[in-house]
Amino acid sequence: MKKFLLALCGVAFLWCGGASAAELYAGENALLAEAKKEKGLTSYDTGPTWANWQALFEGFQERYGIEVAYNDLGSGATVVRLDKERNNPQGDSAYYFMPSGEAAHQKAVTEPFKPVNFDKIPDILKDPEGNWFCVHKMTVVFVVNKNLVKEMPKGWNDLLKPAYSKSIVYLDPRTAGIGYAIVLACVYAQGGDLDHPEAGVEYLAKLQECGNVRMIEKTTEFDKFVKGEIPVWITYDANAYRARYIAGLGDAVEIVIPSEGTITSPYAMSLVKGAPNPNTGKLWLNYILSEEGQGLFARGFVRPIIPGFKIPEDVADKFLSDADYTRAKDVDWVKAAEVQTKLASLWGSKVLGED
């Protein structure tokens, strides 16, 4: 009886907390009522230490009283898992690097759904029917250890100077998505595009030939940067903010959005086709695209996907300015994924001299 009463009190509390609070969007309480008839929520590939997912889990649970079960598979593995489970889906939502969202769509394992603020997401960052839509993005930047580098680079061309001899580290584009994003950033910075990538790859070949590349890594370099082993690291801005504000390097870290321009790397989500808890999945996706959810990404130093989103005051002054971010271009990552093998091979040939 005691257990029953506690459970009853819990339900009453949840309803009270969910229904009495001001709605984040029209219809939120009605959707919550339907979600309460289901059995929870499973969110694929939202590892809690990446992109501030832990804070979103906690915010969702606090608002709705629904705990988020998750896994941390990786983007490609998530698509494979959804395909294997197509006849008995176990996940309610899926999160992945944007091209994997389209890959999941092509395998018909996604359910069209347009969450709140869907209309505000740029067309290039969503499927028009809502089979996938981006929820946040990262930007390719330079992260400079000021204890090791005295002359701050302003752009890609500066990195060719002798001052940066054996200083630059980035990831291999054949094995890491960030590495491929860096190649694309160079392509666009050199005036090219996905149909004309040659100048960008030639730039990276020059960077290699002049001896300024210290290392091309196959796995994340975060710990090496924090230990002071990397003078100039080309990576995502989220890693830079993490090094400055979470790892405690503070003002020793300079973050540079290259003057010639760079690109963004967006991450997408989908409602799973045949999800066991579809209304809870919709509630979760709406929460992520709500002002509260987008603000939690920002507090994890991840840029919200909604253009012009007002960064919460407690972290706003920690980000580079919006004016700096105007140099970061959104690109068609679905098309980019289609040419990735060819472009990565070109990089291997021109930069490493491989056949």
Side-chain angles (χ1 to χ4, degrees), residues 36-66:
K36 288 295 184 182
K37 299 174 184 175
E38 298 176 341
K39 297 181 178 179
L41 172 72
T42 299
S43 178
Y44 275 9
D45 201 30
T46 48
T49 60
W50 173 259
N52 212 25
W53 279 116
Q54 182 63 45
L56 279 105
F57 295 165
E58 293 170 357
F60 186 77
Q61 183 170 0
E62 181 177 352
R63 185 168 185 82
Y64 304 116
I66 300 172

Side-chain angles (χ1 to χ4, degrees), residues 146 244 249-254:
K146 294 164 67 175
R244 175 184 279 183
L249 297 187
D251 291 341
V253 176
E254 185 74 18

Side-chain angles (χ1 to χ4, degrees), residues 257-280:
I257 295 180
S259 57
E260 303 93 334
T262 187
I263 66 161
T264 65
S265 292
Y267 286 74
M269 294 194 76
S270 302
L271 183 67
V272 175
K273 186 176 183 179
N277 307 291
N279 291 305
T280 315

